[in-house]
Structure formats: C-alpha cells, structure tokens
Amino acid sequence: MPRQAPGSDATTRRLLSLCGPLPERPRVLDLGCGPGRSALLLAAEAGGPGTGGAEVTAVDLHQPFLEELRTAAAARGLTDRVHPVAADMGALPYQDGSFDLVWAEGSAYSIGFDTALARWKRLLAPGGTLVLTECEWTAAEPSAGARAFWDEHYPLRSTAANLAAAQAAGYQVLGVHHQPGSDWAEYYGPLAERVRARHGDGSPAARAALAAAREELGVRVRHGHEYGYTGYVLRPVTAGDGGGRRVRPETAADVAAVREVHLAAFETPLEADLVDALRTDDAWVPGLSYVAEGPDGSVAAHALLTACRVDGVRALALAPVATAPALQRSGAGSTVVRALLATARERGEALVLVLGHPCYYPRFGFVPASRFGIRAPFEVPDEALMALVLDDSVPVPAGTIAYPAPFGV
C-alpha cells in the first residue's frame, strides 16, 4: 500500500507551506515514514529555491518499507538525500537539536499525541518545526457507535483539546490543516482492494487482521462524518516568535498607548474608535483586553475579546488586533493573541469568532465558522469568518452572529 494512513501529496505540500521559511537544505526527520511518500516529496521540494531539496532521515521499524523507499529514492535520483533508518520513534538515537523539521504524517498515534509532543521537541534545532497529523473528532457529539470503536482502539479528542495540549507542551501553533475526505480515499482505496482480494484463509493472525480491516472500513462508511485527520504545524515557543515577550492584561495607564497602536497600525481611526466605544459597552469583558510589551516596555501590540452572541448563546469576538508598525513581524501580535485566547480558555469561555485573514488566524486553531453553521450578519468570504472552540464539552451554537452595537452591524 502506498500509504499507511490518510494523506496525499497535496496535504504534504500544504503542511510544508505552513512551516514558513526553512534553511536552504533543511535537515528533516520523517518518523513512521512507511514506504516514503512524504520523505520523497520533502527531499525533492523542502528548502530554499535551487538548493535541491532537503536531507531526509526516514525512520520506520518495518524493514520492507525501508527497502521500498530505498528503491524509490534511487529511481528518482534522491539516494544522496534520503536515508532510511530502522529505529523506534519512541526511543530515537539522535542528539538534541539535530533537525530543522520533524515530520510525522499519520504516525504519532503509535506513541500518542502528547508523548510525541514531549519526546520529539528536543530534536528540533532553534527555530525548528514539528509537523504531525492526528485523528480527531469533527462532530461536537460523536455517536455511541463511533465512540465504541475509537475508545477501544485509540481514544480521540477534538481540535480544541489537541491545540490546548500543544500549547500546554510549550508549542506555538503555526498552522492547522483539516485534511479533506479525499485523503482517506488514498488510504482506504488500496486497503479495500486488498481486503476484497482475500477470503479469510491463512493463519489465525491473518484472519484477525482481515477482520479488523473490514471493521475499520465499515466504521468509516457509517461514521466517517464524525472524525477526520488534522495536521498541526508547531514550533517550540523558546525558538522565537515573541515567546519571551511580556504579555499582560491592559491597565488604565495603557488606554492612550493602545489607541496610538491602532492609529498607527491602520489607515483610518475606525479600529481605535471601536476599541474606545467597546470600553463603555456592556459587551466589554474585564481582563480580556491584552497588550504585548516592546523591548522598552511600551505597548507593542493589542488584542481584544468582547462578548457577542450566536443564536442567543454567548460567544466572544476577537477584534480588533493591532501591532505597532515598527514591531510587525516580530511575533508581538501572535504572542498577544495566544495569551489572550489562553486566558479566555482558563476563564471557561467556550467559543471565539474572528473575521480576518484566512492565512493568519488558523495558526491559533481557528477553522471556518461555516463548519459549525455560524454565519456573519453580512456577506463575507467563507474562509474569512472563523471560529475557535475553547471548550468542546459545550455544544457549539449555529446561527447568525449578533455583534455589540459599537461594531455598527
């Protein structure tokens, strides 16, 4: 089988694009590489333009997979860049800081998502990135049938729970990619053909494996709309992106400086005026207006959460967010947003909505709000209105967002 888990070349490329700039010839560790589809693509395409791709160490315990990868690498002229290694991903022999990119598509489940986050962080060089995919619930309330299967084999969590785990493990989220259903077809198509070609003969172990494959395929047919694979692109906070910057709730002394940041960051005073108007509105939530400080202690960035409603149910609106022009791309904005969302989660808030750039906010875990049946009270591109579930134990409301009056909608 070409793949040992749901995936595609398109997904590999999408996850790679979320990593941002890499060294000219990055050192890549592909864990649970299987026959090596991802390893071959990364060797050919990761890294700076004209550098010939990455140096990939591809790890698996199944020797036939490694031999298949060697053959494929030779056929593509990649022998000098793809290095198959027989090793246990749970006990890797590499020194700390050995890799610029650690990659694990469909393999982290073998040691568990949390264990992977903890054990693989040390392998990353400063500025390094961890990419892994995880099967998780996509339904707010999975059915008993779906739970019965997954609770026995590999208990699933929601995107919100996995994001919280990543942040608790000391990572910042560079990107989140919900894999399409076609990724499952690339895995289950060949698996279904293999199952149909066999008739239950052979050893007891072979018959048990065949029965397990049939059960898995059947569960996907009946309950596939309730779970899916999601890719996470993560970087340790100590590796940059403002991880050491001081972030705190605003105080009364910050009000003027916050206004100046918004005036400098935007072409019109609309955002600055919106913040001032929200301060006196019932939607204002004390403690959910945050600032990040610059090197001199001044206000470098600001982010605000205020109360809104979806079909009468409380949610939070993230807006506006601003960074002083001199400190844009320094990580100040990302840092203040992450801290603000973490505070909202700790305070028991359940849902955050944002209208913003679809290439920026997914790094914090936001997904299209339409996935939950949430819509804006005006026309917006589907990908621009996003939602972040902070507490997956609370049902997500569907309906139209009612913004506070100062938003003017």
Side-chain angles (χ1 to χ4, degrees):
M1 289 174 56
R3 294 188 179 275
Q4 301 303 302
S8 64
D9 289 349
T11 284
T12 300
R13 290 189 175 100
R14 174 58 179 158
L15 293 171
L16 182 60
S17 73
L18 293 172
C19 295
L22 293 171
E24 287 190 356
R25 190 156 177 146
R27 300 162 297 166
V28 178
L29 178 63
D30 185 6
L31 295 171
C33 64
R37 288 290 292 270
S38 296
L40 294 167
L41 188 151
L42 293 168
E45 299 183 16
T51 61
E55 197 83 18
V56 180
T57 300
V59 169
D60 207 287
L61 282 172
H62 191 51
Q63 195 64 41
F65 286 157
L66 299 176
E67 293 301 326
E68 185 177 343
L69 175 54
R70 283 192 183 93
T71 300
R76 300 185 188 197
L78 297 172
T79 302
D80 62 331
R81 277 178 277 154
V82 177
H83 311 287
V85 175
D88 182 351
M89 70 172 70
L92 294 162
Y94 304 109
Q95 294 183 349
D96 293 1
S98 295
F99 299 96
D100 304 300
L101 182 60
V102 174
W103 198 274
E105 280 191 66
S107 60
Y109 77 91
S110 64
I111 62 173
F113 188 76
D114 293 348
T115 301
L117 295 175
R119 292 187 183 177
W120 297 345
K121 184 196 284 187
R122 70 169 186 83
L123 301 169
L124 292 168
T129 303
L130 171 63
V131 175
L132 69 171
T133 65
E134 178 76 343
C135 192
E136 58 189 27
W137 296 121
T138 57
E141 297 183 14
S143 65
R147 282 198 177 278
F149 176 80
W150 283 108
D151 287 353
E152 177 183 354
H153 293 86
Y154 185 73
L156 304 186
R157 300 190 298 204
S158 66
T159 300
N162 284 328
L163 283 168
Q167 291 168 339
Y171 291 89
Q172 57 179 286
V173 181
L174 302 184
V176 176
H177 174 61
H178 296 280
Q179 295 177 227
S182 56
D183 280 12
W184 287 83
E186 290 214 20
Y187 171 51
Y188 277 147
L191 178 62
E193 289 180 10
R194 180 170 293 190
V195 167
R196 284 193 295 269
R198 299 189 179 184
H199 305 288
D201 51 356
S203 67
R207 291 195 297 272
L210 184 61
R214 285 174 174 155
E215 181 187 16
E216 183 178 347
L217 289 166
V219 168
R220 184 64 189 173
V221 170
R222 296 189 300 274
H223 302 289
H225 59 287
E226 299 180 63
Y227 59 91
Y229 257 88
T230 297
Y232 293 90
V233 181
L234 310 171
R235 182 170 295 156
V237 294
T238 54
D241 195 28
R245 191 180 300 277
R246 188 185 180 205
V247 184
R248 57 176 175 77
E250 71 160 38
T251 67
D254 298 316
V255 171
V258 166
R259 180 173 176 81
E260 288 303 316
V261 166
H262 284 277
L263 289 172
F266 297 101
E267 295 181 354
T268 73
L270 292 177
E271 284 77 10
D273 292 344
L274 174 60
V275 174
D276 289 344
L278 285 168
R279 292 185 197 282
T280 60
D281 192 85
D282 290 341
W284 184 267
V285 184
L288 291 185
S289 179
Y290 260 57
V291 298
E293 294 184 356
D296 61 355
S298 63
V299 174
H302 173 252
L304 176 63
L305 287 169
T306 52
C308 63
R309 296 203 168 266
V310 178
D311 194 31
V313 179
R314 176 187 169 95
L316 296 176
L318 175 59
V321 176
T323 302
L327 290 170
Q328 289 176 2
R329 300 188 182 279
S330 71
S334 295
T335 301
V336 75
V337 170
R338 283 196 302 273
L340 182 60
L341 294 174
T343 297
R345 181 180 286 110
E346 291 167 3
R347 291 171 57 146
E349 300 288 352
L351 178 66
V352 178
L353 303 164
V354 68
L355 178 62
H357 201 294
C359 291
Y360 181 73
Y361 287 98
R363 71 184 63 184
F364 308 110
F366 283 91
V367 299
S370 59
R371 177 173 169 180
F372 304 104
I374 298 172
R375 55 190 175 274
F378 43 82
E379 289 294 324
V380 297
D382 181 74
E383 65 275 13
L385 183 65
M386 291 164 275
L388 173 64
V389 177
L390 300 179
D391 184 352
D392 61 342
S393 69
V394 178
V396 180
T400 301
I401 304 169
Y403 286 100
F407 280 87
V409 295

